[in-house]
Amino acid sequence: LRGRAEECALLDGLIGAIRRGESRSLVLRGEPGIGKTALLEYLVASAPDLAVMRAAGVESEMELAYAGLHQLCGTILDRLDKLPAPQRRALEIVFGLSAGDAPDRFLVALAMLSLLSEVSEERPVLCVLDDAHWLDQSSALTLAFVARRLLADPVGLVFAVRQAGDELRDLPNIEVRGLRDADARGLLRSAAQFKLDDQVCDRILAETRGNPLALLELPRGLGVTELAGFGTAAAPQLANGVKESFRRRIGVLPDEARRLLVIAAADPLGEPVLVWRAAELWGISPEAAAPAVEAGLCQFGARIRFRHPLVRAAAYAAGSSDERRRAHAAIAQSTDPALDPDRRAWHRALATTGPDEAIANELEQSALRARARGGQAATAAFLERALDLTLDPARRAERALATAEANYLAGSADEALRLAAEAERGPLDEFRRVRVDVLHGQVATMQRRPRDAPPLLLRAARRLERVDPRAARDTYRDAFIAAIYAGRCGGETRLAEVAEAVGSAAPSTDPPSATDELLDAAALLVSAGYTKGATAVQRALAAFVIAPRARERELHWLFLAGRLSTWVWDEETWDAVSGRMLGLVRDDGVLALLPFAAALRVGWELFAGELGSVATHVSEQDTVQEAIGGERSPGSRVALAAFRGREAEVTELDEATTHDAVARGDGPWVALLHWSTAVLCNGLGRYDRALRAAQLGAAYPPDMQMSSWALSELVEAAARGGEPEAATDALGRLAEMAHACGTDWIVGVEARARALVADAAHAEDLHRRAIECLGRTRFRTELARARLLYGEWLRRENRRVDARAQLRAAHQLFTSIGMEAFAERARGELLATGENVRKRTVETRDELTAHERQIAELARDRLSNPEIGARLFLSPRTVEWHLRKVYSKLGIKSRRDLSVALPR
């Protein structure tokens, strides 16, 4: 700790904050040997009154899912019964305490958050994670998520890393640098056994750059000649030099002590019972530990701990390849196959020298168990090692494909493609060769290459028809959805081609299932147009909503059903399906799909005028993207900004996103931006710009969502901008949809649009019909706009009294919804009628942040703090902390007052 006063003061402040009941997270980053571990030891020694939990990343365990969490939580697993049942089950599965389907990693993260919060009820908690760059991905993502979500719990998480990965990059961090020259010189002289030659001292200082571990260890590895200034050897590169210094010190130990260290280094958990059993099998006595302990290299106690991770690495490297294999074999033989079959299989695999089908089969079983625990990276690691041990060409090809699919699910797209190529070189049967094509399509979607995915998936679906009709239909569905995502940027394979292929494909069952009918109807709507297709889609949606389905398959079809309901202007089915999908995602813990489910729901709530709920979903999407290290999706955010009339925000999102979206072929984003811009500009009264945007948005008719919604914006902009002839085609398309679908939503929208260009004799009846139809829906924004347009027409007809009634109703609706631009447009029209209208002021409840409003609304709806925390990835204490801020802002005292302060 020489020269570390500044860092120690920072750590003292962190401990003090935790003692005061605050949360803290910190990342210490720096090169090997720079002093991170010493600072962590200082931190632990400074917190005798805290509950300290420790773990260290181990390079050989990076592929074992949740290995880091297992280290960290080993002493507190008795608290699992305090957690809500879904969270408790998730941790029991990942820790191997019970069997079950793989829990979503966000449910695991929430469970960890709750577990640490529970422990901190008794006393503050300090979690210390050394070598966090070697944590397995599942543990790293979970702990980074927890660190970001802790706000009001007395919990601290401190990570030590060489370089902060993506998971930890956004956390508070400091760089631990080399010691200043005076401190480094003093430390070096204290480590030398006799006076150093000044030139040698200067050379070591220059080469170590103030690295404390190097300053302590390099002199011990240099001979007397070098230390006296007469040797010619140069100090080696820093990290390798320190490791080499440790290796030389290990090399002079007695053979038994050195072999014992090889065994200890091969077992990252440091379990003494296991190590001593393995040592006994190798004929090593307990006395062998004494020389290693006396040399300060390792400690043997309740846990076996090396002095530094570089000592572990040096100890393992000091063994010959044969000694390392014997160490792994001894550990495998000492591991109970019933209690820990996966670790036993892993060590057996490392002990073998060539292909071994029996061990490969064991690894495959371990992969299945890892998948059940939600460890996709571990699944891939077990399968890849099984592949290495496989000699038979057919089995090797099959395992290469399975490993490729596991890597895809683990997020390793490039590795998945490499392994898929290896599988293709082997003797695969037809079904597995098609799976390779499906994998290529899935990777294209994953890599945000929408235009590449449809042709890959379409070819795969056609080939699957001959071998597995159900898998073929699922793949056709994926190809159809991929083509929707590509939209106008679809390249060679557009939605029409996919629809034609679906229409000619056989159903998966006889008679066709509800999902078969849904996909066939979707294809018919695209290929045959509204007149023939809309009725079929409406029938298929009605059957789909009531048909029983397995939950694991339902999520894959709900998105398609939700999208189709918007295509046929079916407000009720859209509401039911989007609510069902969002509920399933939350209830089943499949929270990785939350951004997609939320996006489906956002559209419905925009039209319903629930902009507060939309803001909640946007915040929720951002939370999940932040947790998985992804980029925030701008789609919901730009639509919300447009409805609110926030021009600057729409422009900023456009400039930041559109170029990249077009480059990667993201057609829906382009359509969404044009439609949102048209809505914004119609609200602001900039009709020329609204017309251009709406024309671009409506320019791709196969996109029957944004393209269709842009039609009414186009008619309004054309009529108000003095270019009614530009609305002719849009009116025709709206009329076709209204005739084919017949729902109140589209009939009202078509009547509203036609009223804008009708003569005086027919306009009023059309305006009244629009208000009547849209009034029967729950889409308040559509109704408010219909009243605004009718009021504007009445004012232009000099019927001021009648105009005021419509404009006043529109203004009140827009104001209550939060559509500021349209509210100001209605206010301007009211002023023109002679009515005095005050400009809207921001109400108290709008001072709440989106996150605070979300929590307040859930509390108003009688959810408990733990239930709110489970919904929003927060601890109950953090929920209460937010609620206290809400009460202060709203001027109330308890949640009983929320129903009045935040009416529905």
Coordinates of all heavy atoms in Angstrom, one line a residue, residues 40 50 63 85 154 170 220 224 268 330 365 378 436 456 472 506 514 608 615 660 715 725 728 770 841 846 848 899 901:
L40 N -8.0 -4.4 -2.7 CA -9.1 -5.2 -2.3 C -8.9 -5.7 -0.9 O -9.9 -5.7 0.0 CB -9.4 -6.3 -3.3 CG -9.9 -5.9 -4.7 CD1 -10.2 -7.2 -5.5 CD2 -11.1 -5.0 -4.6
L50 N -19.0 -5.3 8.2 CA -19.8 -5.6 7.1 C -19.8 -7.1 6.8 O -18.9 -7.8 7.1 CB -19.3 -4.8 5.8 CG -19.9 -3.4 5.6 CD1 -19.5 -2.5 6.8 CD2 -19.3 -2.8 4.3
E63 N -16.1 -20.4 -19.1 CA -17.2 -21.0 -19.8 C -18.2 -21.7 -19.0 O -19.2 -22.2 -19.5 CB -16.6 -22.0 -20.9 CG -15.6 -21.4 -21.8 CD -16.1 -20.2 -22.6 OE1 -17.3 -20.1 -22.8 OE2 -15.3 -19.4 -23.1
A85 N -41.1 -16.8 -5.0 CA -40.9 -18.2 -5.6 C -40.2 -18.2 -6.9 O -39.3 -19.0 -7.1 CB -42.3 -18.8 -5.6
P154 N -27.8 -0.8 1.4 CA -26.5 -0.7 1.9 C -25.6 -1.9 1.4 O -25.2 -2.8 2.1 CB -26.6 -0.8 3.4 CG -27.8 -1.6 3.7 CD -28.8 -1.3 2.5
D170 N -19.9 1.0 -17.9 CA -20.7 2.1 -17.5 C -20.6 2.4 -16.0 O -21.2 3.3 -15.5 CB -22.1 2.0 -18.0 CG -22.2 2.0 -19.5 OD1 -21.3 2.7 -20.1 OD2 -23.1 1.4 -20.0
R220 N 13.7 -10.9 -6.5 CA 13.8 -12.2 -5.9 C 14.2 -13.2 -7.0 O 14.7 -14.3 -6.7 CB 12.5 -12.6 -5.2 CG 12.1 -11.7 -4.1 CD 10.8 -12.1 -3.4 NE 10.3 -11.1 -2.5 CZ 9.2 -11.2 -1.8 NH1 8.5 -12.3 -1.9 NH2 8.8 -10.3 -1.0
V224 N 22.6 -12.8 -7.9 CA 23.4 -11.9 -7.2 C 24.2 -11.0 -8.2 O 24.4 -9.8 -8.1 CB 24.4 -12.6 -6.3 CG1 25.4 -11.6 -5.7 CG2 23.6 -13.3 -5.2
P268 N -10.1 -24.5 -9.6 CA -10.3 -23.1 -9.3 C -11.1 -22.8 -8.0 O -11.0 -21.7 -7.5 CB -11.0 -22.6 -10.5 CG -10.7 -23.6 -11.6 CD -10.6 -24.9 -10.9
A330 N -6.8 -36.9 -11.4 CA -7.0 -37.1 -10.0 C -8.2 -36.3 -9.4 O -8.9 -36.8 -8.6 CB -5.7 -36.7 -9.2
Q365 N -24.1 -34.6 -21.9 CA -25.1 -34.5 -20.8 C -24.9 -33.3 -20.0 O -25.8 -32.7 -19.5 CB -24.9 -35.8 -20.0 CG -25.3 -37.1 -20.7 CD -26.7 -37.0 -21.3 OE1 -27.7 -36.7 -20.6 NE2 -26.9 -37.3 -22.6
A378 N -21.8 -21.9 -21.2 CA -21.3 -23.2 -20.7 C -21.8 -24.3 -21.6 O -21.0 -25.3 -21.9 CB -21.9 -23.4 -19.3
V436 N -28.4 -26.0 -40.7 CA -27.3 -25.1 -40.9 C -27.8 -23.8 -41.7 O -27.4 -22.7 -41.3 CB -26.2 -25.7 -41.8 CG1 -25.1 -24.7 -42.2 CG2 -25.6 -26.9 -41.0
L456 N -32.3 -16.6 -46.7 CA -31.7 -17.8 -46.0 C -32.8 -18.6 -45.4 O -32.8 -19.8 -45.5 CB -30.7 -17.3 -45.0 CG -29.4 -16.6 -45.5 CD1 -28.7 -16.0 -44.3 CD2 -28.5 -17.7 -46.2
A472 N -40.8 -26.7 -40.8 CA -40.9 -25.9 -42.0 C -41.8 -24.7 -41.7 O -41.5 -23.6 -42.1 CB -41.4 -26.7 -43.1
A506 N -47.4 -26.7 -47.7 CA -48.4 -27.5 -47.0 C -48.5 -27.1 -45.6 O -47.5 -26.7 -45.0 CB -48.1 -29.0 -47.2
A514 N -54.5 -23.7 -35.9 CA -54.8 -22.2 -35.9 C -53.6 -21.4 -36.3 O -53.7 -20.4 -37.0 CB -55.2 -21.8 -34.5
A608 N -54.2 4.9 -28.0 CA -55.1 5.0 -26.9 C -54.9 6.2 -26.0 O -55.7 6.6 -25.1 CB -55.0 3.8 -25.9
A615 N -44.2 6.0 -22.1 CA -42.9 6.4 -21.5 C -42.4 5.3 -20.5 O -41.2 5.1 -20.5 CB -43.1 7.7 -20.7
D660 N -27.4 4.7 -40.3 CA -27.1 3.3 -40.0 C -28.2 2.3 -40.3 O -28.0 1.2 -40.7 CB -26.6 3.2 -38.5 CG -25.3 3.9 -38.3 OD1 -24.5 4.1 -39.2 OD2 -25.0 4.2 -37.1
V715 N -53.3 12.6 -46.3 CA -54.6 13.2 -46.7 C -54.7 14.6 -45.9 O -55.0 15.6 -46.5 CB -55.8 12.3 -46.5 CG1 -57.1 13.1 -46.8 CG2 -55.7 11.1 -47.3
E725 N -55.2 17.3 -54.5 CA -55.0 16.3 -55.6 C -54.0 15.2 -55.1 O -54.0 14.1 -55.6 CB -54.6 16.9 -56.9 CG -53.3 17.6 -56.9 CD -53.3 19.0 -56.2 OE1 -54.3 19.5 -55.8 OE2 -52.2 19.5 -56.1
T728 N -55.4 11.7 -53.6 CA -56.3 10.8 -54.3 C -55.9 9.4 -54.1 O -56.8 8.5 -53.7 CB -56.2 11.1 -55.8 OG1 -56.6 12.5 -56.0 CG2 -57.2 10.2 -56.6
A770 N -67.1 10.0 -38.6 CA -65.8 9.7 -38.1 C -65.8 9.8 -36.6 O -65.3 8.9 -35.9 CB -64.8 10.7 -38.7
T841 N -50.2 24.7 -18.8 CA -49.0 24.7 -18.0 C -48.7 23.2 -17.6 O -49.6 22.4 -17.5 CB -49.2 25.5 -16.7 OG1 -50.3 25.1 -16.0 CG2 -49.4 27.0 -17.1
D846 N -46.5 15.9 -13.9 CA -45.6 15.8 -15.0 C -44.2 16.1 -14.6 O -43.2 15.9 -15.4 CB -46.0 16.7 -16.2 CG -47.3 16.2 -16.9 OD1 -47.5 15.0 -16.9 OD2 -48.1 17.1 -17.3
L848 N -42.8 14.3 -12.3 CA -42.3 13.0 -12.1 C -41.5 12.5 -13.3 O -41.9 12.8 -14.4 CB -43.4 12.0 -11.7 CG -44.3 12.3 -10.5 CD1 -45.3 11.2 -10.4 CD2 -43.5 12.4 -9.3
S899 N -54.2 7.4 -5.5 CA -55.3 7.3 -6.4 C -55.9 8.7 -6.8 O -56.5 8.9 -7.8 CB -56.4 6.4 -5.9 OG -56.8 6.9 -4.6
A901 N -54.0 11.7 -6.4 CA -52.9 12.5 -7.0 C -52.6 12.0 -8.4 O -52.2 12.8 -9.3 CB -51.7 12.4 -6.2

